[in-house]
Amino acid sequence: MSNQKKEKHTISVLVNDEPGALARVIGLFSGRGYNIDSLTVAPVNLTKKYSRIIIVTSGTKTIIEQIIHSLERLIQVKKVIDLTSSNSTNERELALIKVTLKNKNSNLLKKIIKKYKAKLIFNNSTKYAFEITNSPDMINSFIIELNNLGTIDVSRTGLIAILKN
């Protein structure tokens, strides 16, 4: 029995932008029983037709190494980087959040919005919608504070990350 502890890892996977590439990457995770906590994918180089997949998963050091080696063996994969191992990574997430206030407590709402630097998208008498780009932890805190004010509806992009160097 391994005494390694599970840790969250953010893995960047550069793939050929072709049908089935994402399915093969996801299939690698599901076939081995690994969970994906967050997944984002988008084209990053239109001339070479590459897409970047950012995957957040949890596992022991051994499991993460197995995942990376398995990803590197896929034909569609051009490059795999464990962004967690680098202190020079910027991680962000975008969330759109709509809140329906229980009480007309717009002063407290304004304080929360200012604290988290959220951007107002629209409002009417009781409904407000915001855009926030920040770390997942900060977005979670923002959601918790808004949840105390009323009913919320949340859409999140999932984590994206890039190396500073």
Side-chain angles (χ1 to χ4, degrees):
M1 184 89 165
S2 173
N3 61 355
Q4 293 181 4
K5 69 175 191 171
K6 284 180 94 172
E7 295 179 344
K8 269 198 193 283
H9 282 258
T10 304
I11 301 170
S12 170
V13 185
L14 187 66
V15 298
N16 290 329
D17 190 3
E18 60 187 42
L22 178 61
R24 284 189 176 80
V25 169
I26 292 172
L28 185 142
F29 279 79
S30 63
R32 290 167 175 77
Y34 302 143
N35 191 39
I36 295 175
D37 298 326
S38 174
L39 174 76
T40 58
V41 60
V44 292
N45 186 321
L46 300 178
T47 56
K48 293 184 179 176
K49 297 197 181 249
Y50 291 153
S51 286
R52 183 171 319 279
I53 303 170
I54 304 288
I55 302 166
V56 178
T57 189
S58 296
T60 63
K61 182 180 178 186
T62 304
I63 287 175
I64 298 301
E65 287 172 357
Q66 288 173 352
I67 289 171
I68 290 169
H69 292 306
S70 296
L71 286 168
E72 289 171 335
R73 286 194 298 269
L74 293 176
I75 294 169
Q76 297 81 6
V77 172
K78 296 295 162 204
K79 188 173 187 179
V80 180
I81 301 171
D82 183 354
L83 297 173
T84 310
S85 61
S86 173
N87 290 332
S88 60
T89 303
N90 272 333
E91 296 183 338
R92 295 287 183 269
E93 186 175 7
L94 167 69
L96 300 177
I97 303 164
K98 183 172 65 175
V99 60
T100 304
L101 296 179
K102 286 185 248 181
N103 307 321
K104 297 234 178 195
N105 199 346
S106 60
N107 286 338
L108 181 55
L109 179 63
K110 287 177 186 174
K111 286 179 185 175
I112 294 169
I113 300 319
K114 187 175 181 180
K115 175 181 173 183
Y116 290 95
K117 298 179 180 132
K119 179 182 170 189
L120 179 67
I121 299 172
F122 74 82
N123 73 301
N124 58 34
S125 60
T126 59
K127 287 187 169 90
Y128 296 82
F130 303 97
E131 172 185 320
I132 180 171
T133 303
N134 212 317
S135 70
D137 290 342
M138 287 298 284
I139 290 175
N140 289 339
S141 296
F142 181 63
I143 289 169
I144 289 167
E145 289 199 42
L146 286 182
N147 210 22
N148 293 329
L149 297 179
T151 308
I152 64 171
D153 184 17
V154 180
S155 290
R156 295 174 80 158
T157 59
L159 186 86
I160 57 172
I162 195 164
L163 291 174
K164 292 179 188 175
N165 55 6

